[in-house]
Amino acid sequence: MSQSKPRARRRPDVNDVELVGGVEKRELYLVEHDPSWARDYCTHEARIRAALGDNAAAVEHIGSTAVPGLAAKPIIDILVTVPDITAEEDYLDQLLAAGYVMRVREPGHRLVRTPGRDVHVHILEPDDPAADDYLLLRDQLRAHDADRDLYERTKRELVAQDWPDMNAYSDAKTAVIEQIKDRARSRRMRDA
């Protein structure tokens, strides 16, 4: 078995999580799916592509707003992959100049968002397993009603609770998300 060649990076990645602005307590609520989310995504995709050009390997609509029929927090999640997460000079200043603000810097992941906090742009490298996981979950929820219903029920139960911040709410969904991704991986293997 051959080993993959280590990724060439310009510098070492960060070791800690930097949460710009600190922990934020926000009101969490779900709304029924809104078809305008797809149009809003397209507007942001064009803005991101104009800002990054070839530095964006891919731009994808992810998260619950990318799944027709699924209730969601009205926050559009976007995945942008870049060749080298440590080469922030290739993407970060450009995104900030395009109107996004820095929120998270952590190993392998950066997040910028709109000042209105209604769009989150997750930046990863193309071969990061988290990038594949985002797409795997989105596609599974789009294609399988039972998983979409399970995920929505889980979110409705969790959003009714009091959370110190959105990260705690997101962490509470992990077990159900992993179950759904496991089913998606099994289907992927059967279909291969």
Side-chain angles (χ1 to χ4, degrees):
M1 183 159 76
S2 67
Q3 272 187 299
S4 62
K5 189 175 173 182
R7 173 178 295 285
R9 289 193 165 146
R10 290 192 196 154
R11 62 192 58 87
D13 199 3
V14 298
N15 293 316
D16 297 318
V17 176
E18 177 187 356
L19 193 58
V20 178
V23 173
E24 299 172 338
K25 180 150 173 81
R26 294 180 63 185
E27 179 186 2
L28 296 176
Y29 59 94
L30 300 178
V31 298
E32 296 305 314
H33 183 82
D34 185 340
S36 72
W37 291 335
R39 291 188 301 274
D40 293 343
Y41 160 75
C42 289
T43 299
H44 285 278
E45 177 189 15
R47 185 170 158 187
I48 290 164
R49 288 189 183 281
L52 298 185
D54 291 341
N55 287 325
V59 181
E60 295 273 353
H61 189 185
I62 59 170
S64 295
T65 62
V67 181
L70 180 62
K73 297 182 310 294
I75 299 171
I76 296 168
D77 285 293
I78 299 173
L79 170 64
V80 175
T81 56
V82 297
D84 180 356
I85 198 74
T86 72
E88 291 183 356
E89 63 274 14
D90 290 348
Y91 63 88
L92 188 56
D93 287 342
Q94 296 86 332
L95 290 171
L96 299 178
Y100 299 98
V101 296
M102 188 70 191
R103 176 62 179 148
V104 176
R105 181 181 282 113
E106 63 185 331
H109 176 249
R110 308 296 188 267
L111 182 128
V112 297
R113 65 183 181 187
T114 53
R117 302 177 185 176
D118 59 344
V119 176
H120 291 173
V121 180
H122 301 265
I123 305 157
L124 297 165
E125 293 175 347
D127 60 353
D128 187 319
D132 185 56
D133 280 356
Y134 279 129
L135 300 175
L136 184 73
L137 178 65
R138 178 200 65 191
D139 294 347
Q140 181 73 10
L141 293 174
R142 283 178 173 174
H144 298 279
D145 294 345
D147 282 332
R148 187 173 48 250
D149 293 344
L150 169 64
Y151 189 50
E152 183 168 325
R153 277 193 317 275
T154 301
K155 291 192 322 173
R156 288 190 184 282
E157 290 168 10
L158 293 173
V159 81
Q161 299 175 34
D162 186 33
W163 299 98
D165 71 348
M166 281 184 51
N167 293 321
Y169 161 80
S170 293
D171 290 346
K173 298 184 298 183
T174 300
V176 168
I177 289 171
E178 289 304 319
Q179 290 172 18
I180 293 169
K181 289 189 306 187
D182 286 347
R183 281 191 287 281
R185 284 185 192 99
S186 294
R187 285 185 179 102
R188 183 188 274 175
M189 289 180 70
R190 276 195 317 267
D191 295 343

